[in-house]
Amino acid sequence: MKTVYALGFIGLTALSVRGQAALYGQCGGANWTGATTCVAGAVCTYSNAYYSQCLPASSSSSSTHSTTTTSSSHSTTTTSTSHTTTTTTTSAAPTTTGTGSGSLKFYGVNIAGFDFGCDTSGDCTESGAYPPLLVYYGADGAGQMTHFVNDDGYNIFRLPVSWQFLTNNAETGVLNSTTLAEYNTLVQDCLSTGAYCIIDIHNYARFNGAIIGQGGPTNEVFAELWGNIAANYASESKIIFGVMNEPHDLNVTLWAGTVQAAVTAIRNAGATTQIILLPGDNYTSAATIYSDGSGAALLTVKNPDGTTTNLVFDVHKYLDSDNSGTSDVCVTDNVSEAWEPLAAWLRTNGRQALNSETGGGNTASCVQYMCQQIAYMKANASDVILGYVGWAAGNFATTYVLSETPTDTNGVWTDTELVSSCMAPK
């Protein structure tokens, strides 16, 4: 039933009449060559230089940038493995028929470095990490976050870290006081900006190749890890707990049990109100979580009191041809293949999600499609998609293919093209 609804919605929005753009279809923007007028009942509404969209006449009439046609032009090493917020307490459940408010709750970026050395097998070492902190001879992560908040209006940062770093390579839930103190330096720098800070275990649901709860570390050990982390931050209302980065190739029913163990441990440690991000299979893909079985399995995960308050789905989506986040050539805005059907599924189930990883190159194609993706989320899905966190800044060099690392020139910060064109809310 949910699948039929989602596909029907996609089909409806894909149609056009006599060269007119469909409801919620694109109708203008840089390099746009399609229809610039909308079907009856819709108005071509300006979002930014790269994207105008056909919105219902009743909702677009309140926009200060409404127009019938829009056309504009714009020109435009350290490596980590595959990519890898979230959110605030909501006072009421989302509606099942709502759309966008024109703004998102969260805008942010990953501050990478403590995750360096990890690969998709969960094979990491403590020595492979590269803290994005000047005191450890890394990048000025604190300065970056201060700039992003003050100059760009960001309000959330994801701070990926490997399990092995936190335990000094031991397959245990007991935190190592020395390495935890290093990571906590970045966490405190984040909190000092006033932003929300996501603690993200960046291990792909594995520890050195073995799946948690499925032949690898037991659920009890994983729960101990999260219980100890949560105990350190239970009083911090702006900490968000990212249970796991990009699980893949696992039994989704068993995985839901693992996530449940982590959620229970976090809440029992005293972190009773903070957001917890629930990751699905297939690298947490926004295009499959509603259909691959992992979303359905994770719907069973509950707080100890039986509620689902502040249990938010964790999703990722890149814009390159294979969704790997490894190319600076973007080919899609992800709307029809991911965000429309996901939004429908979330509304049907009364839930919300956070896009904690998305990004692209500093190229014309990525600027175009990223602007379109963000415009769609704002206009049509902000009731269920809480926001996005770009990949990545921190210790990534400015030459990294998906770099969002700003350049500091004598205290003057300059953003990458993708950040300044699309991703920064200011």
Side-chain angles (χ1 to χ4, degrees):
M1 201 61 179
K2 300 182 187 74
T3 302
V4 171
Y5 173 80
L7 293 176
F9 187 73
I10 294 169
L12 175 64
T13 57
L15 295 175
S16 62
V17 178
R18 296 187 179 182
Q20 293 178 312
L23 180 65
Y24 301 124
Q26 186 175 359
C27 56
N31 304 316
W32 175 247
T33 58
T36 56
T37 58
C38 302
V39 295
V43 175
C44 188
T45 304
Y46 176 91
S47 293
N48 55 53
Y50 292 88
Y51 193 62
S52 293
Q53 184 179 39
C54 290
L55 298 178
S58 58
S59 63
S60 63
S61 61
S62 62
S63 172
T64 59
H65 291 96
S66 181
T67 180
T68 55
T69 59
T70 304
S71 179
S72 60
S73 61
H74 189 77
S75 59
T76 316
T77 242
T78 306
T79 60
S80 174
T81 57
S82 171
H83 24 274
T84 344
T85 157
T86 116
T87 150
T88 59
T89 301
T90 55
S91 57
T95 63
T96 57
T97 58
T99 56
S101 64
S103 63
L104 300 169
K105 292 182 183 297
F106 295 108
Y107 304 84
V109 64
N110 283 262
I111 305 298
F114 279 105
D115 57 306
F116 282 13
C118 289
D119 61 28
T120 58
S121 71
D123 187 2
C124 316
T125 62
E126 180 274 332
S127 62
Y130 186 13
L133 297 163
L134 292 175
V135 68
Y136 299 116
Y137 308 102
D140 185 7
Q144 290 180 22
M145 289 186 285
T146 299
H147 154 69
F148 281 128
V149 170
N150 294 342
D151 300 332
D152 291 332
Y154 280 175
N155 61 2
I156 190 168
F157 299 103
R158 186 166 177 253
L159 313 176
V161 61
S162 74
W163 181 345
Q164 287 89 334
F165 184 84
L166 293 177
T167 61
N168 196 25
N169 297 320
E171 187 178 314
T172 178
V174 178
L175 301 173
N176 179 275
S177 60
T178 300
T179 56
L180 175 64
E182 291 185 26
Y183 180 67
N184 184 58
T185 301
L186 184 65
V187 175
Q188 296 305 320
D189 286 341
C190 177
L191 290 170
S192 70
T193 68
Y196 285 78
C197 309
I198 302 168
I199 295 176
D200 157 55
I201 303 299
H202 212 78
N203 275 69
Y204 304 90
R206 289 156 168 79
F207 192 100
N208 294 343
I211 301 173
I212 303 164
Q214 301 179 38
T218 65
N219 288 350
E220 290 74 19
V221 170
F222 189 56
E224 181 184 24
L225 175 74
W226 268 116
N228 286 329
I229 293 171
N232 280 277
Y233 299 105
S235 63
E236 297 287 355
S237 62
K238 289 192 172 182
I239 287 290
I240 294 169
F241 301 104
V243 168
M244 180 56 62
N245 174 68
E246 297 190 347
H248 63 92
D249 300 294
L250 41 70
N251 180 307
V252 296
T253 302
L254 295 177
W255 175 243
T258 301
V259 175
Q260 179 66 73
V263 168
T264 300
I266 291 168
R267 296 302 190 216
N268 287 345
T272 58
T273 61
Q274 293 94 329
I275 295 288
I276 302 177
L277 299 180
L278 311 182
D281 194 19
N282 197 24
Y283 298 91
T284 315
S285 172
T288 62
I289 191 169
Y290 57 85
S291 62
D292 66 8
S294 57
L298 291 171
L299 287 172
T300 67
V301 175
K302 302 287 196 301
N303 293 310
D305 63 3
T307 69
T308 58
T309 304
N310 289 332
L311 300 184
V312 173
F313 286 90
D314 193 2
V315 295
H316 294 175
K317 198 74 178 77
Y318 287 86
L319 292 78
D320 48 2
S321 61
D322 60 359
N323 191 45
S324 64
T326 58
S327 172
D328 64 359
V329 177
C330 294
V331 299
T332 178
D333 59 15
N334 292 313
V335 171
S336 63
E337 64 265 42
W339 302 120
E340 283 182 340
L342 176 60
W345 182 83
L346 290 167
R347 291 183 187 119
T348 296
N349 290 284
R351 302 297 291 271
Q352 294 177 316
L354 175 72
N355 183 10
S356 68
E357 262 194 50
T358 189
N362 294 291
T363 59
S365 64
C366 291
V367 168
Q368 176 185 351
Y369 287 118
M370 181 62 75
C371 284
Q372 293 173 192
Q373 173 174 281
I374 293 170
Y376 172 81
M377 288 181 177
K378 289 179 178 178
N380 304 298
S382 62
D383 59 319
V384 288
I385 306 295
L386 295 175
Y388 58 83
V389 190
W391 186 266
N395 254 344
F396 277 115
T398 56
T399 54
Y400 167 56
V401 65
L402 301 188
S403 180
E404 295 181 19
T405 303
T407 301
D408 178 13
T409 306
N410 298 320
V412 177
W413 293 89
T414 302
D415 284 316
T416 63
E417 184 176 6
L418 193 65
V419 169
S420 62
S421 299
C422 296
M423 304 195 79
K426 280 188 179 180

